[in-house]
Amino acid sequence: MAGTRLVPEKITSPFQLMAAWFSMLVLLVSVLLAAAANITHPEWASGYLVVFTSLIVLIVIACVILMLTKFRPNLQDGKDYAEWLKDQNTYSSGYFLKESIKSSITKDRKGKAQSAIKTSGLANSGFLISVINAVGSQTIVESLKNFGFKVELYEEEDSVSGEGQKLHLRKESESIWVGSRVDSKAAIQAIKVAATTWPELKYLHLSSDGGDPPDHIHDEIFLGGATSTAKRYGLQEWTQEELLALDDEMSLEEFHSAIRAKYS
């Protein structure tokens, strides 16, 4: 066993991991049996080591049999395992499985929300909606375009790689920055489409209520603002139901008052 050497970075599959376990088992059993053969005092110690070694071997064999029968699909390489999951109708890339479950729960809500969104005049609403680049952003972009909005995917350079299109996490991009000059009716309808497609959105803030943004920001809506910024501003969360219940007939002043009512 002196030549046995395990290199962790070369263990790249479950079967290789099992082979490593067997190597460790052989090494451990050899050490225990060698110790049992050389121990003379106390007298019971050598017998204890032999019994303990036998139990370890039996347990490992039982585990291996279980893994090779009941859990054999889980021992496949990543690609083959993913294909097996597809066959079991449980395949997902992590996020999309969660989204499919969430989608089934909110199906009725979305149907009601879609029926409440009016599309008349939206193509000429005259303002731009920017959407943060995150998982699922393209879906919300397409949804807004289908309702006649002018939409773009916001491009931000990745400060780590130096390349464009930094991918953000949705849980870190839960805010909607609303331009203070955007028509209230169109803005509310855009928010409803966004909330229906992207239920993580939960904060609203007016461009005129903090910082010193460029003038054009007051004529735009930004979806996916930083959650950390919203918390720093002391914004209270909106539920999806509250966003979908906004009255798109309210005046600009009433709309702004409703947003500010959620300020701390």
Side-chain angles (χ1 to χ4, degrees):
M1 292 302 296
T4 300
R5 182 183 177 188
L6 298 178
V7 183
E9 58 268 22
K10 291 187 177 181
I11 301 176
T12 58
S13 72
F15 276 110
Q16 289 176 327
L17 181 60
M18 286 185 62
W21 291 349
F22 274 114
S23 298
M24 294 301 297
L25 176 64
V26 172
L27 178 62
L28 179 60
V29 168
S30 300
V31 170
L32 291 175
L33 291 179
N38 289 283
I39 289 179
T40 56
H41 298 285
E43 295 180 356
W44 54 265
S46 59
Y48 174 81
L49 289 176
V50 172
V51 173
F52 181 68
T53 302
S54 300
L55 287 175
I56 290 178
V57 172
L58 291 174
I59 291 172
V60 170
I61 290 175
C63 290
V64 169
I65 292 174
L66 186 64
M67 293 180 69
L68 291 176
T69 53
K70 184 176 181 179
F71 298 105
R72 183 174 178 81
N74 302 79
L75 296 178
Q76 302 177 96
D77 290 337
K79 183 177 180 180
D80 295 329
Y81 182 54
E83 290 297 325
W84 177 81
L85 286 177
K86 280 185 179 180
D87 293 337
Q88 300 299 311
N89 294 321
T90 56
Y91 175 80
S92 82
S93 60
Y95 170 80
F96 291 104
L97 176 60
K98 178 181 176 182
E99 286 302 295
S100 64
I101 295 173
K102 187 182 294 183
S103 176
S104 64
I105 295 174
T106 60
K107 184 177 180 181
D108 291 338
R109 279 187 203 164
K110 289 185 177 182
K112 293 177 182 178
Q114 294 289 351
S115 63
I117 299 170
K118 301 176 182 178
T119 60
S120 60
L122 295 185
N124 298 315
S125 54
F127 67 92
L128 175 67
I129 301 177
S130 294
V131 182
I132 197 72
N133 184 32
V135 177
S137 290
Q138 196 58 47
T139 301
I140 193 171
V141 168
E142 294 302 322
S143 296
L144 288 164
K145 285 183 177 179
N146 289 338
F147 279 96
F149 291 102
K150 180 182 178 183
V151 191
E152 69 170 11
L153 191 64
Y154 178 70
E155 297 186 10
E156 180 182 11
E157 181 176 307
D158 192 324
S159 58
V160 176
S161 66
E163 299 177 354
Q165 287 295 303
K166 176 181 179 182
L167 188 64
H168 293 259
L169 298 176
R170 284 171 61 156
K171 66 180 180 180
E172 296 176 355
S173 310
E174 301 171 314
S175 306
I176 302 176
W177 309 141
V178 182
S180 58
R181 293 196 295 256
V182 175
D183 175 71
S184 58
K185 180 177 180 178
I188 290 171
Q189 292 181 17
I191 289 171
K192 289 182 178 180
V193 175
T196 301
T197 311
W198 195 336
E200 288 87 353
L201 294 170
K202 61 181 66 173
Y203 300 103
L204 293 179
H205 189 265
L206 290 168
S207 62
S208 57
D209 292 344
D212 187 21
D215 186 70
H216 68 88
I217 295 299
H218 301 301
D219 298 305
E220 300 178 1
I221 288 180
F222 185 82
L223 302 177
T227 302
S228 58
T229 301
K231 292 180 178 179
R232 188 172 72 250
Y233 285 167
L235 305 183
Q236 300 175 30
E237 295 184 6
W238 290 72
T239 65
Q240 187 184 45
E241 289 78 10
E242 288 175 325
L243 292 174
L244 297 178
L246 284 169
D247 182 6
D248 53 13
E249 297 297 333
M250 68 173 64
S251 66
L252 188 63
E253 291 75 17
E254 291 171 333
F255 177 47
H256 288 183
S257 296
I259 293 177
R260 289 173 176 140
K262 288 282 190 176
Y263 291 1
S264 295

